[in-house]
């Protein structure tokens, strides 16, 4: 159910420090429940025990002075001392008796809940400290939550343990670090009817990208069973990214889906004193997503509603960290908690940090990257929390997973590597707050990394976080984008890797001048499109490889469409609503043959560089079916996801007839030029494109100069041959004469013309030449944008 405005406001009251005391400081606690339910507000599915009750509990128990005495002079960096004194304070609270008035108030509230849901109804007992979720101190995960609690006696015990969890070792250390007085932080408790996600699924969603702070996506994680496993990092969950702007326009923009392992799930149990237990997830369930697309979109919509509410209330952007659950009995979705995101939202996006790995070592293991930094140090493998006092500050922590008990040593680690967990697990959240690199979900880090081994942890290579043997060299570059003026010439970027798109969007830009399909096909799909279309004709070995990659897909060709669409959509969403020019596939036949199943469908050519490539493939029988899949992917991105900032570009189009043939095939598969605002560009990379520029202008909406191939074909040089490498030069007068002519013709025909070749990135003086001739846009490699812009500004002046 969508939380309504009134409920959201009530949760605001529960979470802040000025919850009203019960009838004044000296009032009877018999009024507690009435005050916990503000007039005119019905708290659905539960009740709350305020911070006033906690203060009254400590006062009546008379243990306050003893607690202060135990904590006096504590050194939180002494793990043994911290553990011993923390245990003593918790035991004091856990052995204290509830005042009769408070016991009665809680029991009466629980019995009222049971009238609606049945005797001994199952509840979650959730803590909420008054100092939680502040802009500079989130306190996330510091206190305890207890699930599937039944009956008054167990409820009282859970409340007592909740109160004592205000003094867990990690909470004590955190307050000391943040300079909070232990006795001016109070705890309230929310008692909620359980959502039966033990029979369905649950997870966490953030209303931004947790790794980069990119604001225009909702990031949803999901796994089977109760949500504690995702929060604790015990499972590698499914992941989904949804684009906010086009979601709000009514489209279905799930721009990325990643199938998680979901190896275990937490369910109810009545074994002994346990209330929950973990069991293995059935293999068939692991192989499929735990949410439907409709459910993902519904959760994302709720995330936007909640974010918009708090943004309006606080008068500044307020991204949210939200827990959700699906009831397996009713099949309904519920929001169970919402708190502010306190790490990425506080960063200055004008300051661009870039970490660059300058060496490569042996890859020990990899998982999901958290952040974008690099660290090198000695690995220390710790498999049990009882051994955390052995950790040496400055080392790299390698472990199965973390929970809040590990926070004291996480604070002094140089990086963290875990076997389990996803990007919303405990290790990931704490690492972001600490600003250290973290790799989660490696599965085998504790086995592959040896105790005392020197390693480098790299989160600077996109979505994959890698752990290498050795102390590798790396560099850190810091740039201030706010100091750069904006040129009149559009500065676009060449982007191939979707995993880098969100981060790259913060570099000053006017969009993407070249988004290559090849990177997505090579890295995300890996299979020749014709092999997917003709799967039944393949040999057993190739079929087995394809089955492994396309699990969950009965229609193998749809796998190609979906994955290509996701990659393109991620780039398009990162730069929305700026133009993103997507070049259709331009593999050579020998490169296509390297894809899985590719050798069955590709000819052997003596000179693939000027052979069957680009436009020539799209309308011929040997590949037209494959090109149709590319068209379907682009149509999905534009029409289903609403990312109409995507423009399509045709590479290596040799003749006017070829151009017409390609446009005809595109139209047959739903991509009609100018329908739904579709613009189609052509690469200007063959001398014929320049010589017949006026006629190509009649077919296409714009040109993008490919200086690499244009240089090769103008000078008759094989750009891959070291024997004639000294002749290959984009700055040659013949090449520059052709480029100047192409710009002149396009300007006269009112067609857009830019350049996406390597030359402007390598040679700033070449970029100045282009500006002099009035080019509309220059698309640069991301790492050269900041150094090239000043030279373009100088030329414009």
């Amino acid at each position: 159910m969508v939380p309504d405005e009134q409920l959201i406001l009530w949760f605001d009251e529960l979470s802040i420090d000025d919850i009203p005391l019960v009838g004044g400081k000296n009032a009877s606690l018999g009024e507690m429940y009435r005050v916990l339910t503000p007039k005119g507000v019905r708290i659905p599915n539960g009740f709350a025990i305020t911070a006033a009750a906690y203060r009254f509990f400590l006062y009546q128990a008379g243990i306050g002075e003893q607690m202060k005495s135990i904590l006096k002079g504590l050194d939180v960096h002494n793990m043994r001392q911290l553990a011993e004194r923390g245990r003593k304070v918790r035991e004091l609270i856990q052995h204290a008796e509830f005042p009769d008035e408070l016991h009665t108030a809680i029991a009466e509230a629980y019995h009222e809940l049971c009238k609606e849901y049945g005797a001994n109804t199952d509840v979650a007992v959730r803590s909420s400290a008054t100092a939680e979720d502040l802009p500079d101190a989130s306190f996330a995960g510091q206190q305890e939550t207890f699930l599937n609690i039944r009956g008054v006696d167990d409820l009282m015990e859970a409340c007592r343990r909740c109160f004592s969890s205000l003094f867990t070792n990690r909470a004590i250390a955190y307050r000391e670090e943040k300079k909070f007085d232990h006795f001016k932080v109070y705890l309230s408790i929310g008692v909620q009817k359980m959502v039966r996600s033990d029979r369905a699924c649950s997870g966490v969603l953030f209303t931004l990208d947790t790794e980069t702070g990119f604001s225009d996506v909702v990031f949803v994680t999901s796994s089977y069973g109760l949500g504690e496993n995702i929060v604790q990092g015990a499972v590698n969950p499914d992941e989904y990214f949804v684009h906010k702007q086009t979601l709000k326009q009514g489209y279905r923009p799930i721009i990325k889906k990643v199938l998680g392992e979901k190896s275990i799930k937490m369910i109810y149990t009545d074994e002994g004193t346990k209330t929950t237990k973990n069991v293995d997830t059935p293999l068939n369930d692991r192989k499929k997503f735990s949410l439907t697309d409709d459910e993902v979109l519904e959760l994302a919509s709720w995330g936007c509603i909640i974010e918009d509410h708090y943004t309006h209330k606080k008068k500044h952007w307020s991204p949210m960290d939200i827990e959700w659950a699906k009831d397996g009995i009713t099949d309904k979705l519920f929001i169970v908690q919402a708190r502010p995101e306190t790490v990425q939202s506080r960063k200055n996006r004008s300051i661009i940090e870039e970490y660059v790995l300058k060496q490569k070592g042996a890859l020990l293991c990899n998982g999901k990257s958290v952040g974008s930094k690099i660290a090198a140090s000695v690995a220390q493998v710790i498999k049990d929390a009882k051994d955390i006092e052995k950790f040496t500050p400055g080392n790299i922590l390698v472990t199965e997973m973390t929970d809040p008990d590990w926070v004291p040593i996480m604070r002094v680690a140089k990086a963290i590597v875990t076997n389990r967990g996803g990007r919303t697990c405990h290790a990931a959240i704490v690492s972001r707050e600490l600003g250290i690199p973290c790799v989660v979900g490696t599965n085998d880090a504790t086995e592959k990394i040896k105790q005392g081994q020197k390693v480098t942890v790299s989160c600077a290579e996109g979505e994959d976080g890698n752990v290498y043997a050795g102390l590798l060299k790396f560099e850190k570059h810091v740039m201030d984008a706010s100091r750069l003026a904006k040129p009149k010439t559009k500065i676009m970027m060449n982007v191939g890797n979707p995993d880098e798109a969100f981060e790259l969007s913060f570099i000053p830009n006017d969009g993407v001048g070249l988004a290559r399909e090849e990177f997505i096909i090579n890295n995300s799909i890996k299979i020749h499109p014709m092999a997917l279309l003709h799967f039944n004709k393949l040999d057993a070995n190739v079929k087995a490889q394809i089955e492994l990659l396309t699990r969950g897909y009965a229609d193998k060709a749809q796998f190609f469409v979906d994955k290509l669409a996701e990659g393109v959509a991620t780039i398009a969403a990162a730069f929305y609503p700026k133009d993103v020019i997507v070049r259709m596939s331009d593999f050579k036949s020998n490169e296509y043959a390297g894809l899985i199943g590719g050798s069955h469908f590709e000819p052997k050519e003596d000179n693939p560089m000027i052979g069957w490539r680009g436009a020539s493939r799209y309308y011929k029988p040997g590949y037209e079916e494959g090109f149709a899949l590319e068209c379907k992917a682009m149509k999905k991105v534009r029409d289903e996801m609403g990312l109409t900032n995507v423009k399509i570009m045709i590479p290596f189009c040799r003749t006017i007839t070829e151009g017409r043939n390609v446009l005809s095939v595109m139209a047959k598969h739903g991509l009609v030029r100018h329908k739904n605002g579709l613009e189609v560009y052509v690469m200007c990379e063959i001398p014929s494109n320049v010589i017949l520029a006026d006629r190509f202008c009649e077919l296409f909406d714009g040109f993008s100069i490919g200086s690499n191939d244009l240089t090769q074909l103008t000078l008759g040089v094989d750009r891959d041959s070291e024997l004639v490498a000294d002749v290959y030069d984009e700055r040659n007068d013949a090449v520059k004469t052709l480029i100047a002519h192409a710009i002149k013709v396009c300007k006269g025909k009112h067609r857009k013309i830019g350049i996406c070749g390597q030359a402007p990135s390598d040679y700033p003086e070449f970029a100045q030449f282009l500006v002099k001739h009035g080019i509309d846009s220059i698309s640069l490699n991301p790492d050269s944008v900041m150094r090239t812009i000043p030279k373009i500004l100088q030329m414009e002046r």
Side-chain angles (χ1 to χ4, degrees), residues 326-342:
K326 179 181 177 181
D327 193 297
I329 298 173
T330 65
D331 279 342
K332 289 183 177 180
L333 293 167
F334 292 83
I335 298 295
V336 295
Q337 178 172 293
R339 62 161 69 95
E341 193 278 344
T342 58

PDB file of all heavy atoms in Angstrom, residues 326-342:
ATOM      1  N   LYS A 326       7.048  -7.670   0.521  1.00  0.00           N
ATOM      2  CA  LYS A 326       5.868  -8.193  -0.164  1.00  0.00           C
ATOM      3  C   LYS A 326       5.251  -9.293   0.689  1.00  0.00           C
ATOM      4  O   LYS A 326       5.943 -10.205   1.136  1.00  0.00           O
ATOM      5  CB  LYS A 326       6.248  -8.750  -1.542  1.00  0.00           C
ATOM      6  CG  LYS A 326       5.069  -9.332  -2.308  1.00  0.00           C
ATOM      7  CD  LYS A 326       5.500  -9.904  -3.653  1.00  0.00           C
ATOM      8  CE  LYS A 326       4.316 -10.557  -4.376  1.00  0.00           C
ATOM      9  NZ  LYS A 326       4.714 -11.146  -5.678  1.00  0.00           N
ATOM     10  N   ASP A 327       3.951  -9.201   0.908  1.00  0.00           N
ATOM     11  CA  ASP A 327       3.235 -10.205   1.691  1.00  0.00           C
ATOM     12  C   ASP A 327       2.886 -11.394   0.792  1.00  0.00           C
ATOM     13  O   ASP A 327       2.184 -11.235  -0.206  1.00  0.00           O
ATOM     14  CB  ASP A 327       1.966  -9.597   2.291  1.00  0.00           C
ATOM     15  CG  ASP A 327       1.354 -10.482   3.362  1.00  0.00           C
ATOM     16  OD1 ASP A 327       0.950 -11.612   3.027  1.00  0.00           O
ATOM     17  OD2 ASP A 327       1.292 -10.038   4.516  1.00  0.00           O
ATOM     18  N   GLY A 328       3.382 -12.576   1.150  1.00  0.00           N
ATOM     19  CA  GLY A 328       3.158 -13.761   0.330  1.00  0.00           C
ATOM     20  C   GLY A 328       1.756 -14.323   0.432  1.00  0.00           C
ATOM     21  O   GLY A 328       1.382 -15.192  -0.355  1.00  0.00           O
ATOM     22  N   ILE A 329       0.962 -13.833   1.404  1.00  0.00           N
ATOM     23  CA  ILE A 329      -0.423 -14.295   1.541  1.00  0.00           C
ATOM     24  C   ILE A 329      -1.358 -13.432   0.702  1.00  0.00           C
ATOM     25  O   ILE A 329      -2.219 -13.931  -0.023  1.00  0.00           O
ATOM     26  CB  ILE A 329      -0.851 -14.277   3.026  1.00  0.00           C
ATOM     27  CG1 ILE A 329       0.040 -15.251   3.834  1.00  0.00           C
ATOM     28  CG2 ILE A 329      -2.329 -14.669   3.159  1.00  0.00           C
ATOM     29  CD1 ILE A 329      -0.189 -15.194   5.331  1.00  0.00           C
ATOM     30  N   THR A 330      -1.154 -12.117   0.770  1.00  0.00           N
ATOM     31  CA  THR A 330      -2.041 -11.196   0.027  1.00  0.00           C
ATOM     32  C   THR A 330      -1.446 -10.747  -1.308  1.00  0.00           C
ATOM     33  O   THR A 330      -2.159 -10.160  -2.126  1.00  0.00           O
ATOM     34  CB  THR A 330      -2.303  -9.927   0.874  1.00  0.00           C
ATOM     35  OG1 THR A 330      -1.073  -9.218   1.045  1.00  0.00           O
ATOM     36  CG2 THR A 330      -2.885 -10.303   2.236  1.00  0.00           C
ATOM     37  N   ASP A 331      -0.151 -10.977  -1.520  1.00  0.00           N
ATOM     38  CA  ASP A 331       0.582 -10.513  -2.713  1.00  0.00           C
ATOM     39  C   ASP A 331       0.669  -8.991  -2.786  1.00  0.00           C
ATOM     40  O   ASP A 331       0.963  -8.445  -3.846  1.00  0.00           O
ATOM     41  CB  ASP A 331      -0.043 -11.050  -4.012  1.00  0.00           C
ATOM     42  CG  ASP A 331       0.390 -12.479  -4.297  1.00  0.00           C
ATOM     43  OD1 ASP A 331       1.403 -12.915  -3.711  1.00  0.00           O
ATOM     44  OD2 ASP A 331      -0.280 -13.153  -5.086  1.00  0.00           O
ATOM     45  N   LYS A 332       0.457  -8.304  -1.673  1.00  0.00           N
ATOM     46  CA  LYS A 332       0.561  -6.851  -1.654  1.00  0.00           C
ATOM     47  C   LYS A 332       1.976  -6.414  -1.248  1.00  0.00           C
ATOM     48  O   LYS A 332       2.651  -7.097  -0.482  1.00  0.00           O
ATOM     49  CB  LYS A 332      -0.448  -6.248  -0.674  1.00  0.00           C
ATOM     50  CG  LYS A 332      -1.893  -6.341  -1.132  1.00  0.00           C
ATOM     51  CD  LYS A 332      -2.810  -5.650  -0.135  1.00  0.00           C
ATOM     52  CE  LYS A 332      -4.266  -5.669  -0.611  1.00  0.00           C
ATOM     53  NZ  LYS A 332      -5.165  -5.000   0.360  1.00  0.00           N
ATOM     54  N   LEU A 333       2.387  -5.252  -1.776  1.00  0.00           N
ATOM     55  CA  LEU A 333       3.652  -4.653  -1.416  1.00  0.00           C
ATOM     56  C   LEU A 333       3.457  -3.634  -0.300  1.00  0.00           C
ATOM     57  O   LEU A 333       2.424  -2.957  -0.251  1.00  0.00           O
ATOM     58  CB  LEU A 333       4.268  -3.948  -2.628  1.00  0.00           C
ATOM     59  CG  LEU A 333       4.715  -4.837  -3.797  1.00  0.00           C
ATOM     60  CD1 LEU A 333       5.002  -3.980  -5.017  1.00  0.00           C
ATOM     61  CD2 LEU A 333       5.941  -5.661  -3.427  1.00  0.00           C
ATOM     62  N   PHE A 334       4.439  -3.517   0.596  1.00  0.00           N
ATOM     63  CA  PHE A 334       4.368  -2.567   1.700  1.00  0.00           C
ATOM     64  C   PHE A 334       5.699  -1.834   1.838  1.00  0.00           C
ATOM     65  O   PHE A 334       6.766  -2.421   1.646  1.00  0.00           O
ATOM     66  CB  PHE A 334       4.083  -3.282   3.024  1.00  0.00           C
ATOM     67  CG  PHE A 334       2.709  -3.889   3.113  1.00  0.00           C
ATOM     68  CD1 PHE A 334       2.443  -5.131   2.564  1.00  0.00           C
ATOM     69  CD2 PHE A 334       1.684  -3.216   3.754  1.00  0.00           C
ATOM     70  CE1 PHE A 334       1.183  -5.698   2.647  1.00  0.00           C
ATOM     71  CE2 PHE A 334       0.418  -3.768   3.843  1.00  0.00           C
ATOM     72  CZ  PHE A 334       0.166  -5.017   3.286  1.00  0.00           C
ATOM     73  N   ILE A 335       5.627  -0.564   2.192  1.00  0.00           N
ATOM     74  CA  ILE A 335       6.801   0.190   2.628  1.00  0.00           C
ATOM     75  C   ILE A 335       6.874   0.043   4.142  1.00  0.00           C
ATOM     76  O   ILE A 335       5.907   0.330   4.844  1.00  0.00           O
ATOM     77  CB  ILE A 335       6.690   1.681   2.251  1.00  0.00           C
ATOM     78  CG1 ILE A 335       6.627   1.848   0.732  1.00  0.00           C
ATOM     79  CG2 ILE A 335       7.846   2.475   2.846  1.00  0.00           C
ATOM     80  CD1 ILE A 335       7.860   1.433  -0.022  1.00  0.00           C
ATOM     81  N   VAL A 336       8.019  -0.410   4.667  1.00  0.00           N
ATOM     82  CA  VAL A 336       8.107  -0.642   6.113  1.00  0.00           C
ATOM     83  C   VAL A 336       9.036   0.339   6.819  1.00  0.00           C
ATOM     84  O   VAL A 336       9.022   0.436   8.043  1.00  0.00           O
ATOM     85  CB  VAL A 336       8.540  -2.096   6.425  1.00  0.00           C
ATOM     86  CG1 VAL A 336       7.474  -3.069   5.951  1.00  0.00           C
ATOM     87  CG2 VAL A 336       9.885  -2.440   5.805  1.00  0.00           C
ATOM     88  N   GLN A 337       9.857   1.064   6.051  1.00  0.00           N
ATOM     89  CA  GLN A 337      10.733   2.049   6.686  1.00  0.00           C
ATOM     90  C   GLN A 337      11.266   3.006   5.632  1.00  0.00           C
ATOM     91  O   GLN A 337      11.519   2.610   4.501  1.00  0.00           O
ATOM     92  CB  GLN A 337      11.910   1.350   7.374  1.00  0.00           C
ATOM     93  CG  GLN A 337      12.898   2.296   8.029  1.00  0.00           C
ATOM     94  CD  GLN A 337      13.941   1.570   8.857  1.00  0.00           C
ATOM     95  OE1 GLN A 337      13.633   0.981   9.875  1.00  0.00           O
ATOM     96  NE2 GLN A 337      15.175   1.594   8.412  1.00  0.00           N
ATOM     97  N   ALA A 338      11.449   4.268   6.003  1.00  0.00           N
ATOM     98  CA  ALA A 338      12.069   5.247   5.109  1.00  0.00           C
ATOM     99  C   ALA A 338      12.950   6.168   5.942  1.00  0.00           C
ATOM    100  O   ALA A 338      12.534   6.668   6.978  1.00  0.00           O
ATOM    101  CB  ALA A 338      11.003   6.061   4.374  1.00  0.00           C
ATOM    102  N   ARG A 339      14.178   6.349   5.475  1.00  0.00           N
ATOM    103  CA  ARG A 339      15.112   7.258   6.162  1.00  0.00           C
ATOM    104  C   ARG A 339      15.894   8.033   5.101  1.00  0.00           C
ATOM    105  O   ARG A 339      16.001   7.594   3.965  1.00  0.00           O
ATOM    106  CB  ARG A 339      16.079   6.480   7.054  1.00  0.00           C
ATOM    107  CG  ARG A 339      16.972   5.515   6.309  1.00  0.00           C
ATOM    108  CD  ARG A 339      18.184   5.143   7.154  1.00  0.00           C
ATOM    109  NE  ARG A 339      17.844   4.337   8.295  1.00  0.00           N
ATOM    110  CZ  ARG A 339      17.888   3.003   8.335  1.00  0.00           C
ATOM    111  NH1 ARG A 339      18.224   2.332   7.239  1.00  0.00           N
ATOM    112  NH2 ARG A 339      17.593   2.347   9.422  1.00  0.00           N
ATOM    113  N   PRO A 340      16.459   9.181   5.450  1.00  0.00           N
ATOM    114  CA  PRO A 340      17.252   9.932   4.465  1.00  0.00           C
ATOM    115  C   PRO A 340      18.538   9.194   4.099  1.00  0.00           C
ATOM    116  O   PRO A 340      19.127   8.512   4.947  1.00  0.00           O
ATOM    117  CB  PRO A 340      17.586  11.245   5.183  1.00  0.00           C
ATOM    118  CG  PRO A 340      16.693  11.293   6.369  1.00  0.00           C
ATOM    119  CD  PRO A 340      16.345   9.891   6.730  1.00  0.00           C
ATOM    120  N   GLU A 341      18.954   9.311   2.852  1.00  0.00           N
ATOM    121  CA  GLU A 341      20.291   8.856   2.444  1.00  0.00           C
ATOM    122  C   GLU A 341      21.271   9.941   2.878  1.00  0.00           C
ATOM    123  O   GLU A 341      21.033  11.126   2.633  1.00  0.00           O
ATOM    124  CB  GLU A 341      20.329   8.653   0.930  1.00  0.00           C
ATOM    125  CG  GLU A 341      21.546   7.890   0.428  1.00  0.00           C
ATOM    126  CD  GLU A 341      22.787   8.755   0.261  1.00  0.00           C
ATOM    127  OE1 GLU A 341      22.667  10.003   0.233  1.00  0.00           O
ATOM    128  OE2 GLU A 341      23.889   8.186   0.157  1.00  0.00           O
ATOM    129  N   THR A 342      22.366   9.566   3.523  1.00  0.00           N
ATOM    130  CA  THR A 342      23.208  10.570   4.169  1.00  0.00           C
ATOM    131  C   THR A 342      24.646  10.596   3.661  1.00  0.00           C
ATOM    132  O   THR A 342      25.491  11.263   4.250  1.00  0.00           O
ATOM    133  CB  THR A 342      23.237  10.341   5.701  1.00  0.00           C
ATOM    134  OG1 THR A 342      23.723   9.018   5.947  1.00  0.00           O
ATOM    135  CG2 THR A 342      21.864  10.514   6.310  1.00  0.00           C
TER     136      THR A 342
END
